[in-house]
Amino acid sequence: MKKPAVPSSLRKQLLCAAWRVMVSVLMSVSLAACAQRTDKHTLTFWTIGREGEAVTQLLPEFERENPGIHVVLQQLPLSAAHQKLLTAFAGDSTPDITQLGNTWLPELAALGALEPLQTRVKPSSIIRPDDYFPSIWSTNVYEGVLYGVPWYIDTRLLFYRSDMLKALGFDAPPRDWREWRRMLAALSHPGRGIYGILLPTNEYEQLMSLALQQPDALLRDGGRYGNFESVGFKRALSFYVDTFRLHQAPPITNIEAGNPWEEFGRGVYSFYFSGPWNIQEFRKRLPAAAETQWNTAPLPGPDGPGASVAGGSSLVIFRKARNKQAAWKLIEYLSRPDVQGRFYDLLGDMPPRRSSWNQRSLHDDPKAQAFREQLERVKPTPPVPEWEQIANEMQLVAAQAVAGNLTVDQAAAEIDRRADRILEKRRWMLDHAHHPTDENL
Amino acid sequence: MNRQPAAWLFLAPAAMVLGVFFLLPVMGAFVLSLTDYDLYALADLHNLRFVALSNYWALLHRPLFWAALGHTVYFVAVGVPLSMLVSLCAALLLHSPLARCKPLFRTVLFAPVVTTVVAVAVVWRYLFNTKYGLVNYMLGTIGIHPIDWLGNPHWAMPAIILFAVWKNLGYNMIIMLAGLQAIPSELYEAARMDGASAWRQFRHITLPMLAPTLLMVGILTISGYFQLFAEPYIITEGGPLQSTVSVLYLMYDEGFKWWNLGSASAIAFLLFAIMFAVTELMLRVGRKEVEA
């Protein structure tokens, strides 16, 4: 083939343009490579949900104290976090350190994605395990190995309208289920759209908290089978379902509930079964004058004060982290009582260690006291990677029972059936011992 | 010059792209659907078991799969005819010589198509709210009691169908409008001279001339509607009582929420088989109609 004759000036221009394209392509490739290969002074930190914004205000001080370390923060929305973490693991692109809900911790620990932290905790002068609430600490131990340090706690208890209770002659919040049921009956007027309590039928935390109050474990035989046909779980499920059948709670999901804070303020619900972040949420959304109308109370149990769930988020380091030493420094910084106090002020996330609770703002807040009391009485969920899925199925079946499609006995049997199906692989794993495990769940 | 190798040479780039980005992943997914690939297998491939067809077998024995299939078929069976009917009416109105401000209406009716599903789905969630929603407020003004759109298992799917019809109205309408404009006006002139009424003109000129377009729009809409996902994902999250869980929603939950990629792949292949069968059936019927 003969080259077409191109005037030399044009050829020069073409050459020049080609060079420019080449150079810019090369540059963008190398830039991408730079972005990929973070140097060892950069720490990538993933947060989930609301914590990301508050933590940006805590990081500058950390970087001042540790001039060599630069923290790159990435905020994941809660709805996408689980998927993103697993995808990152599958794609070998995990960050150095992440916030991790403690029900997800067994899952990532089972994957072998997390760095054991026992050897780092031992010499630490800042993180002292005996200062932490023991049940919360234990959720970070999977098969005898410590994988995370609790960052904040999330337990569920009762928000209640103290003024409405008082008007009906109840001077104190309920201590046990019987008393609670009496109050719910007195407070509910379904004909006028007034209900004692809001229990969104698509949230599993409420039923799970009631179930954790029972002496029976939720799974049996070392997490091989569901234990939902136990007397205890059926008692919890009956109490839950009865609340709807007696029209003391509307059978709606949190999608329809829309704005529960305002409705609580208007007295549509007198009880609200939720977590610590709602203290600030109520203060923000209700007028200041309403502050004296509501309070928080520990969860009433079947006979006397009951347990609740030992939920919360932890900080974990990934096994493939490039800079584990710096990551550990960040964990230590975020675990300091004074930093945790500021974290509470910023966001209302409650600290997992007792000494942090001596900070003024927490210590003096009357609405936080119920949480402080509840924290001495919390129970962890079964530490199996499948728990999140089992809890979801439990709630789907419970919603069927609420709708009247299943009796309590049928529902319990159905939850067991679904849990056993989900746990099939785990049973196989345990029996074939690919996976050393302790049997004392 | 030999034409055969040259043809292959020209096909090669497209074939390679298809092979690498389509055929290989599909074959990979099929192999995956014969295993119990899950979290444990992700951690260590020794935990992977070959289970042959038992993923498919288990699915066929799972009530939720049949329920999801039922919801999807319901959505397709009601949604597609409704959507096409509404689009056709809109296209006919826009095509009418009497219509004024055509560009404006064309834009307005097409606007929902270019909006983000997620954003408008959130808005519709508010519209459908039982207590405060605009839909129930409007129904209230004509004396209809509030409907628990998103809380009642019987009403949630109709709510989603309404949303989907509104969302897709413009797209089908534009294609049908193009089809209408391609019909030669002489046919109508001749019919008018023969004294044909408007209805008979529509029945004997517009519909037959539009048939190929309608068939294509129908196939596109059906295959799109079978992949129902974003609407229930945003508006109802599959509820109430899982009454809006579609097959694709089930697959998403299995695969990306719980990481059971083996059984999720099996769902994908079952859905593919169903869609393939339906499309094939439609093409055959359509061909016969056109020939007849």
Side-chain angles (χ1 to χ4, degrees):
Chain A
M1 199 167 78
K2 227 174 107 182
K3 261 188 185 166
V6 179
S8 70
S9 64
L10 182 61
R11 205 154 67 199
K12 225 182 250 164
Q13 270 178 1
L14 275 174
L15 219 75
C16 220
W19 263 113
R20 263 200 302 250
V21 170
M22 283 271 281
V23 167
S24 60
V25 165
L26 275 174
M27 262 179 53
S28 53
V29 167
S30 56
L31 272 179
C34 281
Q36 285 290 313
R37 194 188 55 236
T38 44
D39 61 287
K40 67 174 201 241
H41 301 298
T42 308
L43 200 58
T44 41
F45 178 23
W46 285 4
T47 60
I48 300 169
R50 310 174 315 138
E51 279 68 33
E53 276 161 49
V55 93
T56 50
Q57 301 184 46
L58 299 175
L59 287 178
E61 193 183 320
F62 173 73
E63 290 182 348
R64 256 199 312 280
E65 289 176 13
N66 300 277
I69 307 174
H70 172 60
V71 183
V72 176
L73 188 72
Q74 194 177 339
Q75 306 178 11
L76 315 181
L78 179 61
S79 51
H82 186 254
Q83 182 187 339
K84 171 107 178 164
L85 284 165
L86 290 179
T87 316
F89 171 76
D92 239 348
S93 57
T94 47
D96 294 303
I97 166 175
T98 187
Q99 166 193 353
L100 190 65
N102 60 8
T103 47
W104 295 354
L105 193 130
E107 204 173 331
L108 283 165
L111 282 174
L114 304 181
E115 173 83 0
L117 296 179
Q118 198 61 55
T119 50
R120 291 177 198 271
V121 167
K122 249 181 210 150
S124 172
S125 59
I126 297 171
I127 295 172
R128 289 181 293 111
D130 56 340
D131 189 29
Y132 285 78
F133 297 105
S135 299
I136 301 285
W137 185 266
S138 73
T139 58
N140 290 271
V141 179
Y142 178 69
E143 301 190 341
V145 183
L146 179 78
Y147 287 104
V149 174
W151 190 20
Y152 65 86
I153 59 98
D154 173 13
T155 190
R156 301 297 157 111
L157 45 61
L158 291 179
F159 291 72
Y160 68 100
R161 287 286 301 264
S162 43
D163 58 335
M164 292 173 66
L165 256 63
K166 204 163 267 165
L168 290 170
F170 301 109
D171 289 329
R175 305 286 289 172
D176 58 35
W177 284 4
R178 227 180 16 199
E179 218 179 339
W180 193 14
R181 178 69 76 214
R182 259 209 325 276
M183 293 182 188
L184 287 171
L187 289 160
S188 301
H189 307 283
R192 284 189 282 136
I194 307 267
Y195 296 92
I197 188 168
L198 174 66
L199 297 168
T201 53
N202 60 344
E203 290 180 2
Y204 65 70
E205 285 84 358
Q206 291 84 357
L207 174 57
M208 190 175 77
S209 303
L210 297 178
L212 284 170
Q213 298 182 331
Q214 311 297 331
D216 311 84
L218 291 168
L219 302 180
R220 62 188 167 86
D221 297 349
R224 280 181 166 84
Y225 296 96
N227 193 28
F228 294 95
E229 282 168 285
S230 65
V231 179
F233 182 79
K234 281 189 190 170
R235 191 182 326 150
L237 184 61
S238 302
F239 184 83
Y240 181 79
V241 172
D242 281 348
T243 309
F244 294 95
R245 296 219 174 129
L246 297 167
H247 302 289
Q248 293 165 358
I252 60 172
T253 64
N254 59 14
I255 299 171
E256 298 152 84
N259 188 339
W261 305 278
E262 208 143 281
E263 302 208 305
F264 181 77
R266 284 196 279 119
V268 175
Y269 313 112
S270 315
F271 286 104
Y272 187 48
F273 195 148
S274 193
W277 70 93
N278 268 319
I279 292 183
Q280 290 214 347
E281 211 64 35
F282 277 125
R283 284 189 177 139
K284 206 163 66 193
R285 290 168 188 262
L286 298 182
E291 179 77 14
T292 55
Q293 295 173 349
W294 62 276
N295 211 337
T296 54
L299 210 53
D303 347 84
S308 189
V309 57
S313 268
S314 305
L315 295 167
V316 299
I317 300 177
F318 278 95
R319 204 178 277 260
K320 296 233 168 111
R322 283 172 220 87
N323 198 353
K324 290 175 186 164
Q325 198 49 44
W328 179 249
K329 270 189 186 155
L330 181 59
I331 291 185
E332 284 193 318
Y333 169 77
L334 291 172
S335 301
R336 271 175 14 199
D338 60 311
V339 178
Q340 295 201 331
R342 275 174 57 204
F343 194 46
Y344 173 74
D345 293 340
L346 285 170
L347 202 59
D349 277 352
M350 293 184 171
R353 51 191 301 182
R354 297 191 178 96
S355 54
S356 302
W357 278 82
N358 297 330
Q359 301 287 312
R360 228 190 37 177
S361 53
L362 257 169
H363 195 259
D364 297 346
D365 189 340
K367 297 201 162 50
Q369 293 321 304
F371 283 94
R372 177 69 182 78
E373 191 188 331
Q374 186 75 67
L375 279 172
E376 300 289 355
R377 254 193 335 267
V378 287
K379 272 192 186 170
T381 54
V384 298
E386 294 88 351
W387 176 250
E388 180 90 7
Q389 193 181 355
I390 294 174
N392 261 281
E393 293 293 327
M394 173 193 81
Q395 189 56 38
L396 288 170
V397 177
Q400 295 278 4
V402 166
N405 301 341
L406 297 173
T407 66
V408 166
D409 287 337
Q410 285 170 334
E414 176 66 15
I415 300 172
D416 259 344
R417 209 179 55 74
R418 294 193 188 188
D420 292 351
R421 185 180 61 80
I422 294 168
L423 290 167
E424 190 273 330
K425 182 76 173 254
R426 178 178 160 82
R427 289 196 293 277
W428 180 79
M429 300 270 304
L430 291 174
D431 294 342
H432 288 74
H434 279 296
H435 205 74
T437 184
D438 61 346
E439 299 287 310
N440 48 12
L441 280 173
Chain B
M1 193 173 143
N2 196 342
R3 293 170 65 99
Q4 201 68 11
W8 280 110
L9 203 66
F10 277 106
L11 273 178
M16 253 164 59
V17 170
L18 268 180
V20 172
F21 293 105
F22 180 73
L23 277 180
L24 273 183
V26 167
M27 286 191 303
F30 183 69
V31 173
L32 216 55
S33 78
L34 304 177
T35 70
D36 72 340
Y37 195 95
D38 61 0
L39 264 178
Y40 292 115
L42 181 69
D44 182 354
L45 267 186
H46 286 111
N47 298 330
L48 187 73
R49 288 179 293 177
F50 179 77
V51 298
L53 293 176
S54 62
N55 276 333
Y56 294 89
W57 190 244
L59 266 181
L60 296 179
H61 283 88
R62 214 170 138 189
L64 185 59
F65 174 74
W66 291 105
L69 190 61
H71 303 148
T72 312
V73 170
Y74 175 22
F75 179 74
V76 172
V78 178
V80 172
L82 191 65
S83 169
M84 290 192 48
L85 191 72
V86 174
S87 299
L88 184 61
C89 290
L92 285 171
L93 285 175
L94 271 181
H95 186 59
S96 156
L98 297 173
R100 293 282 168 272
C101 306
K102 279 186 194 177
L104 173 74
F105 284 110
R106 216 164 41 208
T107 313
V108 169
L109 289 173
F110 193 72
V113 179
V114 290
T115 53
T116 331
V117 193
V118 176
V120 285
V122 170
V123 174
W124 276 72
R125 205 165 81 186
Y126 288 122
L127 294 180
F128 279 128
N129 188 297
T130 314
K131 264 197 227 171
Y132 311 110
L134 195 64
V135 176
N136 275 347
Y137 176 77
M138 304 277 263
L139 290 177
T141 56
I142 54 169
I144 295 177
H145 280 292
I147 294 173
D148 188 4
W149 287 102
L150 304 179
N152 184 330
H154 300 294
W155 281 109
M157 192 50 98
I160 285 185
I161 291 174
L162 280 180
F163 169 72
V165 167
W166 170 82
K167 178 88 175 69
N168 297 324
L169 159 70
Y171 186 75
N172 289 346
M173 178 197 77
I174 290 287
I175 300 178
M176 290 182 188
L177 195 59
L180 286 175
Q181 283 163 354
I183 302 175
S185 55
E186 295 85 28
L187 294 176
Y188 292 103
E189 272 169 38
R192 269 201 300 277
M193 286 169 73
D194 289 345
S197 68
W199 165 249
R200 295 192 64 175
Q201 284 178 40
F202 173 75
R203 175 71 191 80
H204 295 287
I205 299 174
T206 313
L207 268 190
M209 293 299 285
L210 207 57
T213 312
L214 287 178
L215 180 65
M216 189 197 72
V217 169
I219 289 175
L220 284 180
T221 313
I222 284 184
S223 57
Y225 274 34
F226 259 116
Q227 297 173 42
L228 173 67
F229 173 71
E231 292 86 350
Y233 183 69
I234 304 295
I235 299 185
T236 58
E237 295 175 9
L241 301 180
Q242 295 186 291
S243 61
T244 53
V245 170
S246 64
V247 178
L248 211 62
Y249 197 103
L250 184 66
M251 187 196 86
Y252 170 84
D253 265 5
E254 277 291 309
F256 297 104
K257 211 158 158 197
W258 311 125
W259 216 252
N260 294 324
L261 287 179
S263 105
S265 306
I267 300 178
F269 274 93
L270 282 180
L271 182 64
F272 170 76
I274 294 167
M275 281 171 64
F276 186 81
V278 170
T279 313
E280 187 60 30
L281 191 78
M282 279 197 63
L283 277 174
R284 289 222 176 140
V285 172
R287 231 173 273 144
K288 238 176 239 160
E289 291 272 308
V290 172
E291 277 164 17

